[in-house]
Amino acid sequence: MSARMLDGTAVGLAIRTELRPAVEAFTATLGRPPGLGIVLVGNDAGSELYVGSKLKSAAESGLRADLTRLPATASLGEVIAAVERLNASDVHDAILVQSPLPAALGAEAERHVVDHIAVEKDVDGFHPINVGRLVQGHWTLAACTPSGVIELLDRSGIPIVGKHAVVIGRSDIVGKPMALLLLHRHATVTICHSKTVDLPAVARQADILVAAIGRPAFVTPAYVKPGATVIDVGTSRVGDRALVESIFPAGSKRRDAFERRGALTMGDVHPSVEEIAGALTPVPGGVGPLTIAMLLKNTLAAAEQRFVKPATS
Ligand code: NAP
């Protein structure tokens, strides 16, 4: 069996296209487009790339997106000040602080910064109040990556109700919100992490298996029930030749790409899972484009909530 590939690029494009009329209506009513403010601290190459795509996609969808750059030497106070300027801005409805922040700011820096984002502009739903709203099943801006996974499942005709979903990873930005969104859609949910005993056996129970670990090719066929839907959230930049050679045979497309670029973007799921899964997201081209599409969708939603149609629940 060869898994059906779930095309995140196409679904992401469909979501972005659908946003256009609502973006145009908002712009016509308010005399300005919905606005996103992004804060980027330091010069991490991956972050530069992600932020570049976010700015480009926002512009293509008719949204305003502005970048505030701070040097890697910026203090926590300076990062929070940048967030507070966006909180006070009339033209920015949504705020994103690009992760990761420089390690020098300390392990708790991201949490402190998120706590300062205005709740109604918290486009990724990381503020404790928005997390609480998500836990209680109220309307909220929910984390972009997990929301994108739900969109992908829905638009690919993969049922969630009553299915056993296993999420590997319990981070605040992916694993936990993913598990909650699946739970609210009436899946039976198991959350796994680095201390889970016999992880392959637990994962093999999944009808829907979500890998959000950050370890390239970690999920092998031993983790997958035949026919399961496997969602690969993992995105790792891999420069380890031995690892790449052990996974991709000489002459394969991916191996050639590695030879050209000296590194590959890899997911958490081993390519051999394609032989056993029923459906699978590729990396790249799976969850990544959905994260951006949901960022734009949440920016519009944040703008509409502020000015057009406030939430009732
Ligand atoms: P994270 O904060 O590092 O969390 C990783 C999770 O994986 C943790 O809960 C950890 O368990 C678990 N884990 C690590 N090793 C494990 C093991 N051997 N067995 C079982 N569980 C293990 O990472 P994250 O921010 O959630 O991101 C996860 C991955 O998704 C990364 O590759 C990231 O780049 C990617 N990502 C992609 C997108 C996208 O748009 N495609 C967006 C966000 C993130 P413990 O809690 O026990 O340590």
Side-chain angles (χ1 to χ4, degrees):
M1 186 171 73
S2 195
R4 168 186 168 206
M5 281 294 160
L6 303 178
D7 187 347
T9 304
V11 172
L13 186 62
I15 294 169
R16 289 196 277 140
T17 305
E18 287 164 18
L19 289 181
R20 275 204 153 273
V23 169
E24 280 161 16
F26 181 94
T27 307
T29 308
L30 271 285
R32 66 159 180 90
L36 169 68
I38 300 179
V39 179
L40 175 62
V41 188
N43 42 19
D44 176 77
S47 296
E48 292 276 355
L49 221 78
Y50 292 138
V51 166
S53 325
K54 288 168 184 174
L55 292 169
K56 182 167 171 278
S57 303
E60 284 168 3
S61 300
L63 300 163
R64 171 183 178 146
D66 298 304
L67 178 61
T68 303
R69 274 184 183 276
L70 295 174
T73 51
S75 67
L76 192 56
E78 286 167 327
V79 182
I80 289 170
V83 164
E84 281 174 347
R85 277 194 295 278
L86 290 168
N87 284 344
S89 163
D90 285 338
V91 296
H92 294 102
D93 307 288
I95 302 170
L96 177 145
V97 179
Q98 183 63 41
S99 177
L101 290 174
L105 287 174
E108 291 298 308
E110 291 193 13
R111 200 172 289 240
H112 283 309
V113 171
V114 164
D115 286 354
H116 284 82
I117 296 177
V119 172
E120 70 279 11
K121 295 190 180 187
D122 171 34
V123 72
D124 238 326
F126 294 161
H127 189 285
I129 289 179
N130 286 327
V131 174
R133 290 183 64 81
L134 178 64
V135 170
Q136 294 187 339
H138 296 299
W139 187 91
T140 188
L141 296 164
C144 297
T145 300
S147 307
V149 171
I150 298 289
E151 288 269 356
L152 182 64
L153 293 171
D154 284 346
R155 290 169 187 249
S156 305
I158 294 170
I160 303 175
V161 178
K163 299 298 177 190
H164 190 167
V166 174
V167 180
I168 312 179
R170 57 175 164 180
S171 71
D172 290 340
I173 66 168
V174 188
K176 284 181 199 158
M178 184 76 257
L180 284 163
L181 290 173
L182 288 162
L183 182 65
H184 292 326
R185 293 294 301 274
H186 310 294
T188 300
V189 181
T190 303
I191 307 176
C192 300
H193 45 76
S194 63
K195 304 289 186 290
T196 298
V197 175
D198 199 354
L199 181 57
V202 180
R204 273 200 307 276
Q205 296 171 20
D207 302 304
I208 300 170
L209 179 63
V210 182
I213 313 165
R215 293 185 174 230
F218 180 92
V219 174
T220 62
Y223 290 69
V224 180
K225 177 165 79 176
T229 296
V230 180
I231 304 292
D232 191 353
V233 178
T235 316
S236 304
R237 198 75 186 142
V238 178
D240 178 347
R241 171 170 290 278
L243 177 63
V244 171
E245 286 183 358
S246 72
I247 295 171
F248 300 107
S252 65
K253 260 170 114 175
R254 297 284 276 152
R255 181 78 166 270
D256 289 350
F258 177 76
E259 299 301 344
R260 280 197 307 278
R261 298 182 204 132
L264 271 188
T265 299
M266 284 176 60
D268 290 339
V269 177
H270 195 284
S272 56
V273 165
E274 190 182 339
E275 301 308 315
I276 184 167
L280 175 64
T281 58
V283 176
V287 173
L290 290 163
T291 299
I292 294 190
M294 296 312 289
L295 171 68
L296 306 183
K297 190 170 178 177
N298 275 2
T299 297
L300 173 65
E304 289 179 340
Q305 287 293 312
R306 290 181 72 213
F307 295 107
V308 185
K309 44 179 182 189
T312 49
S313 67

